Amino acid sequence: MQVKSKSVVVTGATSGIGFSVCELLLKNRFRVIGVGRSKENCEAARERLIEKYPEGEIVFFYGDMVHQQEVFRVASEIRDYLRKSSGDELHALINNAGCVRSWYMTSNEGYEHQFALNHLAGFILTHELLPCLIRAKGRILFTSSASHKMMRMRWKDLMFEKGYNPLLAYKQSKLCNMLFAYSLNEMYRDKGIAAYGVDPGLVNTSIGNKETGFIVNLVWSIRRRFGVSPDEPAKTYLMLCTVETPPNELYFKFLKPARYSSQVNKENADRLFAISEQLCNIRYER
Amino acid sequence: MYVLITGAAGGLGRAFANECAQRGYDLILTDINESGLKAIKYGLERKYGISVRARACDLTSDASVAELMKYIRKEKIQPDMLLNVAGMDNEGGFIERNITSVLDIVKLNLEATLRITHSVLKERNSTSRFYIVFVSSLASMYPMPLKATYAASKRFLLDFAYALREELKSRNVSVLTLCPGGLATTREAICGITSQGFLGDATTNPIEKVVHNTISLALAGKAIYIPGLLNRSLSTLGKLFPKKLITRLLYIRWSHAQKQWLDMKA
């Protein structure tokens, strides 16, 4: 008898960490639902994956998740697909899509890109897929980073409108990932949901070379050479998806729980949660 | 303060709208892109807990602008500030381009800007001070091969704004022209900036600061704002050297950048 495979959604799945995670998930017989920005990237990624795992179940949805309309559209496409393919159950959501920007840029809603994509996109997608996740007692993973440390939320200027700093905006967005994971555990642990932040370490991906200027490009091109292959952090994602009893820790690096910033606390988490609900015009069931 | 922003769904327009909302101004936004207009309207309303008016309009159409003005009258809105942000650019040599796309630049950057400015000035409350901002460009400082129509359209706006400023000085109207270098507004704009290498970074102005300073300077009654020390120096240099030489140098620079840009697109 064939074992029913479990579905996992991976955003930012066409390259870097997301792509490696997809590979590993397919290898372990998960049904993979990838999300990427453009149709071309998604098709190319799908072809590469199918070539390696011809038996694998892999489907892609595309959309520029920096804009909220696009996130809602992609989410509803995924829900349709889950209904047809997986009994409306989602085993894991991996909120991995992220960007770096050299300059202050805004989404269609006028929200700063790194905040909008690295945090708000995951905030909406999680909300839209939560019923499916609850049914499967699923897991929610975030690609956070050690750069969330040594950073405080800039509550008075969340979108860096007083003067943009690419690195600080990135650090804050990764702190947001930790705070959101914290909130999800607080709210839905008793429903069987477990949320984690993953520190992938320094990874050799092209994140700093996409839509950035000369300086950020140059700095990242040098820095990424010291990074590990994205296959390394992918193992941590797989472990968190497969481990029988979900661990109680919040933050993982190289398969092990790691220390996170003291800024990741209930006060900050609640505050960010309320602001995010307001900015996305959605309300999580309490 | 009631502010009317054209091109409000674009990168620069959104930043202006955000800046005005932060200053507590009332907003009426317009753009030809209706869904984009809705997105920025809701975005601002959620972020600031305010109410924003938005109305789609094709500024190149007399009828559409008349509709917009009718709406403004009906809602009893009296703008105190007009931010003329709507505009467009097309890359490429004149004869390589489709003539329609060249003429579209003239239609939007010039005709449409004049049409809405005229309409709004006719409607304004003449007892209080009125502010107009034109978005020109650093490109207005010199003739620009390969961006010939665009640069000339921006030159038109700059000269026009100076003249209008003088005409309306006694009527309590203040006119400011913004002449920015590169602005990271869209994915295409980023391509344009990166294709120029380090100089792209150096001439790119941070949007959040540009919009903040533009409003401050407009309120202070200034005539022109060229953001960034390097851009100000470049514009001064443009005045010191003969036009023929500058044009030649720019041609070399843009042919190079454009090749990079086309490679990047491919």
Side-chain angles (χ1 to χ4, degrees):
Chain A
M1 200 182 81
Q2 203 185 346
V3 184
K4 212 178 89 183
S5 49
K6 294 171 167 175
S7 297
V8 179
V9 169
V10 183
T11 69
T14 61
S15 67
I17 297 170
F19 185 81
S20 291
V21 170
C22 288
E23 277 190 311
L24 213 47
L25 288 170
L26 286 173
K27 195 174 168 188
N28 286 273
R29 300 181 181 284
F30 282 94
R31 178 185 296 118
V32 177
I33 301 159
V35 179
R37 185 176 61 78
S38 73
K39 195 176 174 195
E40 299 75 46
N41 291 349
C42 286
E43 272 165 8
R46 189 173 174 279
E47 261 167 46
R48 279 168 64 201
L49 289 167
I50 285 288
E51 203 174 301
K52 224 170 159 183
Y53 301 102
E55 307 284 297
E57 283 186 83
I58 169 88
V59 60
F60 269 93
F61 296 95
Y62 65 92
D64 192 347
M65 308 275 280
V66 77
H67 311 297
Q68 299 197 348
Q69 272 167 320
E70 292 279 277
V71 186
F72 282 109
R73 179 182 57 73
V74 167
S76 96
E77 288 173 13
I78 292 175
R79 285 195 64 159
D80 284 345
Y81 178 77
L82 287 175
R83 217 167 292 140
K84 279 183 243 154
S85 67
S86 322
D88 224 1
E89 285 187 8
L90 180 59
H91 177 69
L93 166 60
I94 300 178
N95 284 306
N96 164 72
C99 68
V100 174
R101 291 289 178 262
S102 292
W103 297 282
Y104 172 78
M105 291 181 77
T106 56
S107 70
N108 288 345
E109 297 76 29
Y111 302 158
E112 190 275 319
H113 267 189
Q114 295 199 59
F115 187 73
L117 181 65
N118 301 7
H119 170 55
L120 293 179
F123 190 82
I124 294 174
L125 193 59
T126 304
H127 176 263
E128 299 298 295
L129 299 178
L130 197 59
C132 308
L133 284 159
I134 289 176
R135 271 191 283 281
K137 297 197 185 312
R139 293 149 203 205
I140 306 168
L141 275 55
F142 295 88
T143 298
S144 182
S145 153
S147 63
H148 86 274
K149 297 177 187 177
M150 310 283 281
M151 182 68 197
R152 284 165 186 274
M153 292 300 294
R154 311 215 321 183
W155 297 115
K156 286 187 182 150
D157 186 22
L158 274 180
M159 306 206 193
F160 290 81
E161 283 150 358
K162 306 261 180 288
Y164 196 68
N165 179 313
L167 189 60
L168 291 183
Y170 184 75
K171 284 168 77 71
Q172 179 180 268
S173 75
K174 293 293 126 182
L175 177 56
C176 289
N177 293 147
M178 292 300 292
L179 292 170
F180 182 36
Y182 183 99
S183 295
L184 287 169
N185 283 326
E186 284 260 301
M187 294 167 71
Y188 301 109
R189 198 66 198 232
D190 56 359
K191 292 206 164 94
I193 294 281
Y196 304 102
V198 176
D199 172 14
L202 178 62
V203 190
N204 187 355
T205 71
S206 56
I207 185 168
N209 307 119
K210 291 177 183 164
E211 291 174 59
T212 49
F214 182 81
I215 291 174
V216 171
N217 232 302
L218 182 72
V219 170
W220 182 246
S221 296
I222 296 166
R223 191 163 155 74
R224 66 183 280 187
R225 288 191 212 166
F226 299 97
V228 295
S229 147
D231 296 340
E232 282 307 310
K235 293 173 190 160
T236 307
Y237 292 80
L238 181 73
M239 181 274 283
L240 290 170
C241 286
T242 50
V243 62
E244 198 66 41
T245 325
N248 286 320
E249 290 86 355
L250 176 65
Y251 185 55
F252 282 80
K253 181 179 188 180
F254 298 144
L255 302 167
K256 290 198 186 75
R259 280 176 64 91
Y260 52 88
S261 161
S262 63
Q263 290 299 306
V264 184
N265 54 46
K266 183 160 168 49
E267 191 196 338
N268 284 336
D270 287 351
R271 194 167 175 186
L272 179 67
F273 201 89
I275 292 172
S276 308
E277 280 191 325
Q278 165 82 20
L279 289 176
C280 303
N281 197 31
I282 53 179
R283 201 167 157 75
Y284 274 81
E285 243 176 79
R286 299 297 200 279
Chain B
M1 177 82 76
Y2 222 118
V3 185
L4 170 60
I5 306 178
T6 73
L12 184 59
R14 291 196 297 260
F16 265 118
N18 192 66
E19 171 68 22
C20 291
Q22 234 169 62
R23 287 172 182 253
Y25 299 167
D26 291 313
L27 287 169
I28 169 157
L29 309 178
T30 186
D31 199 290
I32 195 165
N33 169 3
E34 198 158 1
S35 73
L37 200 56
K38 249 184 213 154
I40 184 63
K41 170 187 156 72
Y42 292 144
L44 293 168
E45 289 180 339
R46 288 168 196 165
K47 196 165 162 196
Y48 298 104
I50 54 173
S51 162
V52 173
R53 283 170 208 265
R55 184 102 179 161
C57 176
D58 176 3
L59 296 175
T60 63
S61 144
D62 281 320
S64 189
V65 170
E67 279 284 313
L68 175 69
M69 296 315 295
K70 211 169 110 189
Y71 169 77
I72 288 177
R73 269 194 300 273
K74 201 184 93 212
E75 299 288 312
K76 300 197 165 56
I77 301 166
Q78 283 207 311
D80 308 285
M81 187 183 276
L82 168 64
L83 303 179
N84 280 311
V85 182
M88 66 187 307
D89 182 13
N90 286 309
E91 292 273 349
F94 180 64
I95 53 163
E96 272 78 49
R97 273 192 268 179
N98 180 329
I99 187 62
T100 320
S101 78
V102 175
L103 294 179
D104 280 347
I105 298 179
V106 179
K107 272 189 195 151
L108 182 62
N109 296 10
L110 304 182
E111 274 187 43
T113 306
L114 299 188
R115 181 180 292 116
I116 187 74
T117 304
H118 195 267
S119 305
V120 172
L121 276 171
K122 283 279 181 193
E123 290 290 326
R124 85 169 174 110
N125 175 1
S126 50
T127 57
S128 62
R129 192 157 174 75
F130 193 82
Y131 304 90
I132 307 176
V133 172
F134 290 98
V135 177
S136 176
S137 163
L138 194 60
S140 69
M141 303 291 162
Y142 348 85
M144 282 215 172
L146 302 175
K147 282 171 174 278
T149 315
Y150 172 77
S153 79
K154 292 299 181 183
R155 179 75 200 184
F156 178 109
L157 286 182
L158 177 64
D159 284 355
F160 173 77
Y162 263 100
L164 186 69
R165 180 184 162 82
E166 209 50 44
E167 275 184 41
L168 299 180
K169 216 171 211 169
S170 57
R171 299 193 208 177
N172 211 11
V173 178
S174 170
V175 180
L176 173 107
T177 312
L178 166 64
C179 299
L183 293 173
T185 49
T186 57
R187 187 163 285 123
E188 290 71 39
I190 298 279
C191 277
I193 292 165
T194 357
S195 67
Q196 299 171 50
F198 176 69
L199 209 56
D201 264 35
T203 53
T204 296
N205 300 119
I207 293 187
E208 75 282 10
K209 288 187 177 152
V210 167
V211 293
H212 177 81
N213 295 341
T214 301
I215 303 290
S216 296
L217 292 169
L219 293 175
K222 294 279 186 276
I224 184 167
Y225 172 36
I226 306 170
L229 189 63
L230 178 63
N231 290 349
R232 275 198 289 281
S233 320
L234 286 173
S235 83
T236 311
L237 279 178
K239 286 171 199 143
L240 295 177
F241 289 94
K243 231 176 206 179
K244 253 172 98 179
L245 178 68
I246 294 278
T247 312
R248 175 93 205 123
L249 288 173
L250 281 169
Y251 180 68
I252 294 167
R253 180 174 167 214
W254 284 125
S255 344
H256 178 74
Q258 205 157 62
K259 247 180 66 199
Q260 301 270 318
W261 186 78
L262 289 173
D263 286 350
M264 231 181 284
K265 252 175 93 177

